[in-house]
Amino acid sequence: MMVSEIDMISPETMEECLQILNEYEQEVRLLAGGTDAVVRMKEGHWRPKLWLNIKGLRDLRFICEEKDGIHIGPLTTHTDMVQSSLLQEKADVLVHAAKEVGATQIRNMGTIGGNLGTASPAGDTIPALFVLDAVIELSSVNGIRRIPIEEFFVGPGKTVQHKSEMITNIIIRPQEENEIGIFEKLGPRKAQAISIVNVAISLKMSGDGWQCAGGKIAFGSVAPTVIRARKCEVLLTLQELNEEGISNIASLAWKEVAPISDVRASAAYRRDMSTALLERGLLRLMKRWEDR
Amino acid sequence: MATIRFKVNGKEKVVDTHTTKTLLDVLRDDLYLTGSKECCGKGECGSCSVMINDEVVCSCLVLVGQVEGEDIKTVEGVGTSTNMDIIQEAFIKEGATQCGYCTPGFIVAARSFLNKIEKVPTLEEIEEGIAGNICRCTGYTKIVKAIQTAAEERFSRIGAAVTQGNLQGKGD
Ligand SMILES: Cc1cc2nc3c(=O)[nH]c(=O)nc-3n(C[C@H](O)[C@H](O)[C@H](O)COP(=O)(O)OP(=O)(O)OC[C@H]3O[C@@H](n4cnc5c(N)ncnc54)[C@H](O)[C@@H]3O)c2cc1C
Ligand code: FES
Ligand code: FES
């Protein structure tokens, strides 16, 4: 493979990195864990003039709780998230999603910033970030802007990020005591598989019973971007989440999704599986709520 | 071209190469460490597994410009035929290799897995630990058994060292 025509710069500080993003006139692309970038370079899809290697910017790898929420640095790996006790306690749905990414090697390399940057509708952390009301912080030499995740993606591989910007922080809402979440994924095989359909659910329960006070549901891989299932969300509070209630909610899922057929699955199969995954997720969540 | 410095198997290395060459190609072509194998080249099979700062990764997806100053361990650093690691001994004992192409990747992934566990793992945990590695020959049963054998060996040695009040003893 001819690689010599592509250059690489490894900035030592974020300021230097933003400067290069701002000034470099030809095509430049950030390189973090490389698990999407290098695959696409080899396939000939991504051939920038310059790789801007940010892997060494250790300041961008953090998980911490601040006044306005839990802050996650873009260079945080999937393994970091799986192992974080803060996320286990206050963002279980994101931990579940990170666990489902690839296998050990890919989780050790791949980052949350890269998952967002690739902007695949099948990206596993994205539905989890939707139900945790994530806000994406974009920085450039001109300053910072914060974009709610539902406004961040505009299509497969496309986001509102400008050429001179990069993701420097991801802020999520910590779950409350009465809140539980789950991530369910259907892939062609158990490990190392891109989602055919995935769903993240976060529920706020009221009291000890099966009454839900509100919740969010987000599907991946069933539309050009990850989507919220708003009709299903409305139903969450209108009936108890017993088997019958759950089945009613899940049966609406096919109306929410707008999948395509591709090499991984047909549109019809994705629609059916959206219902099945939502039902399975809600049943498992209620079982966990009961057993807690 | 650039000059890149990093450690491989405990030794400082300096290579003059293109920054966008994969770590796997540099290990094999420039440093003649041909244990790591290229198979899929896309992160799916694990035959190129190496450790960077003790974390197992696919060296076919790491560009060498990204490893300046890092500490890399390849299968050659896990053990050699004259000084084998318990995981390599267990692979031989259990007959866990056939054509052998996947074996170096499994050895590195298994070593990294063993470094991180605190008790003898269940079969399910072992399967999860090596889910990033593909083998087309063995059917995995003997590979999983070999890792279990090595894990038992590791913890029995640690146990023996503890009862002798000597934690400096050869832990693994
Ligand atoms: C074998 C295999 C299995 C996989 N399985 C899964 C899976 O199960 N689920 C899943 O969701 N993904 C999967 N992936 C895809 C990939 O691993 C993830 O999307 C990963 O999170 C990407 O992170 P990275 O750091 O490797 O990104 P990179 O490849 O380094 O970058 C990806 C993109 O994001 C951009 N980018 C990186 N950092 C930033 C930043 N800070 N700001 C702005 N843009 C940025 C880059 O410019 C690039 O365009 C798999 C990949 C492989 C090879
Ligand atoms: S060759 Fe690297 S994972 Fe297959
Ligand atoms: S022994 Fe042949 S691929 Fe594993």
Side-chain angles (χ1 to χ4, degrees):
Chain A
M1 185 199 32
M2 279 300 291
V3 291
S4 50
E5 77 271 28
I6 308 181
D7 235 334
M8 183 190 298
I9 295 183
S10 305
E12 285 183 9
T13 63
M14 208 174 83
E15 291 68 37
E16 190 189 334
C17 184
L18 296 178
Q19 207 75 41
I20 297 167
L21 278 176
N22 191 50
E23 284 162 14
Y24 199 81
E25 291 190 345
Q26 286 167 302
E27 193 191 342
V28 48
R29 198 182 267 276
L30 294 165
L31 176 66
T35 57
D36 281 317
V38 176
V39 172
R40 285 171 202 214
M41 175 180 85
K42 290 183 177 186
E43 287 172 345
H45 300 307
W46 291 357
R47 307 288 296 182
K49 272 279 171 242
L50 179 72
W51 286 118
L52 196 47
N53 167 35
I54 56 173
K55 193 71 192 170
L57 297 180
R58 316 241 176 216
D59 290 355
L60 292 181
R61 185 171 176 182
F62 55 81
I63 304 174
C64 57
E65 192 162 15
E66 303 286 339
K67 276 197 209 91
D68 59 348
I70 298 174
H71 290 207
I72 306 175
L75 283 181
T76 303
T77 65
H78 299 293
T79 300
D80 293 339
M81 292 192 276
V82 171
Q83 291 174 348
S84 157
S85 49
L86 176 61
L87 294 185
Q88 283 163 13
E89 191 192 335
K90 295 183 175 174
D92 56 3
V93 55
L94 183 57
V95 174
H96 291 176
K99 245 185 217 158
E100 290 294 325
V101 173
T104 311
Q105 287 90 333
I106 300 297
R107 286 193 294 273
N108 284 345
M109 306 172 77
T111 63
I112 189 169
N115 207 230
L116 292 167
T118 297
S120 160
D124 282 326
T125 66
I126 301 171
L129 292 172
F130 263 62
V131 302
L132 294 171
D133 303 320
V135 173
I136 314 293
E137 181 184 280
L138 293 172
S139 298
S140 72
V141 287
N142 299 318
I144 288 175
R145 37 181 203 137
R146 286 188 169 184
I147 318 275
I149 191 155
E150 291 192 41
E151 295 163 25
F152 185 70
F153 302 100
V154 289
K158 296 208 172 70
T159 72
V160 299
Q161 180 188 318
H162 297 148
K163 184 189 159 290
S164 62
E165 288 177 320
M166 67 185 280
I167 301 168
T168 46
N169 198 350
I170 296 128
I171 300 142
I172 58 170
R173 177 182 56 79
Q175 287 170 315
E176 291 163 28
E177 289 241 319
N178 59 342
E179 233 178 317
I180 46 173
I182 199 165
F183 176 81
E184 293 282 342
K185 162 172 175 174
L186 177 76
R189 67 184 184 103
K190 231 173 133 189
Q192 218 68 317
I194 297 180
S195 286
I196 291 170
V197 181
N198 59 24
V199 65
I201 310 167
S202 177
L203 301 181
K204 216 174 257 176
M205 301 305 293
S206 61
D208 284 334
W210 289 354
Q211 185 61 47
C212 171
K216 288 190 173 166
I217 300 169
F219 278 107
S221 219
V222 291
T225 65
V226 168
I227 51 161
R228 291 263 304 279
R230 291 179 198 279
K231 296 190 189 82
C232 297
E233 287 175 3
V234 169
L235 281 189
L236 283 173
T237 57
L238 297 182
Q239 53 201 316
E240 282 202 332
L241 294 183
N242 50 27
E243 264 181 47
E244 193 193 340
I246 287 175
S247 158
N248 288 340
I249 296 167
S251 64
L252 258 190
W254 70 275
K255 287 193 181 168
E256 306 260 24
V257 301
I260 53 161
S261 297
D262 64 14
V263 290
R264 277 171 283 136
S266 70
Y269 181 67
R270 283 200 161 93
R271 237 185 231 118
D272 286 351
M273 286 306 113
S274 304
T275 289
L277 275 193
L278 181 56
E279 182 160 11
R280 185 192 300 169
L282 286 169
L283 286 170
R284 285 189 177 159
L285 260 182
M286 285 306 102
K287 177 89 180 62
R288 247 175 54 209
W289 183 243
E290 206 178 282
D291 294 346
R292 80 193 181 287
Chain B
M1 297 285 278
T3 303
I4 297 156
R5 286 157 218 274
F6 49 96
K7 252 194 200 165
V8 182
N9 302 330
K11 295 199 190 81
E12 295 289 346
K13 300 283 174 188
V14 183
V15 270
D16 288 308
T17 183
H18 292 290
T19 44
T20 43
K21 198 166 165 179
T22 64
L23 174 60
L24 176 63
D25 285 344
V26 171
L27 289 170
R28 292 180 56 87
D29 304 346
D30 299 56
L31 300 172
Y32 308 112
L33 291 166
T34 52
S36 315
K37 304 280 185 269
E38 174 146 35
C39 181
C40 69
K42 291 181 182 177
E44 285 171 19
C45 74
S47 72
C48 63
S49 296
V50 304
M51 288 182 236
I52 301 185
N53 304 329
D54 291 329
E55 300 288 342
V56 63
V57 300
C58 300
S59 61
C60 70
L61 297 185
V62 177
L63 301 184
V64 72
Q66 296 187 284
V67 300
E68 175 80 46
E70 306 284 21
D71 195 350
I72 291 151
K73 189 180 247 183
T74 68
V75 67
E76 291 90 344
V78 174
T80 58
S81 43
T82 49
N83 182 21
M84 270 193 262
D85 186 65
I86 50 167
I87 187 77
Q88 291 164 318
E89 284 168 356
F91 263 63
I92 294 173
K93 182 165 166 226
E94 302 297 343
T97 186
Q98 286 183 26
C99 82
Y101 201 82
C102 69
T103 310
F106 269 101
I107 298 285
V108 173
R111 181 71 262 179
S112 159
F113 174 72
L114 288 187
N115 288 347
K116 293 191 190 310
I117 52 175
E118 278 147 23
K119 56 172 177 41
V120 176
T122 63
L123 292 183
E124 221 175 22
E125 286 164 345
I126 295 174
E127 283 169 9
E128 167 61 32
I130 54 166
N133 294 71
I134 291 178
C135 174
R136 292 281 87 146
C137 302
T138 64
Y140 301 101
T141 310
K142 292 184 173 181
I143 294 178
V144 171
K145 184 78 189 53
I147 297 171
Q148 193 182 32
T149 303
E152 281 163 2
E153 172 85 344
R154 176 179 172 210
F155 287 104
S156 75
R157 283 189 196 176
I158 291 179
V162 170
T163 41
Q164 287 161 19
N166 172 23
L167 259 176
Q168 317 296 18
K170 198 172 179 232
D172 37 284

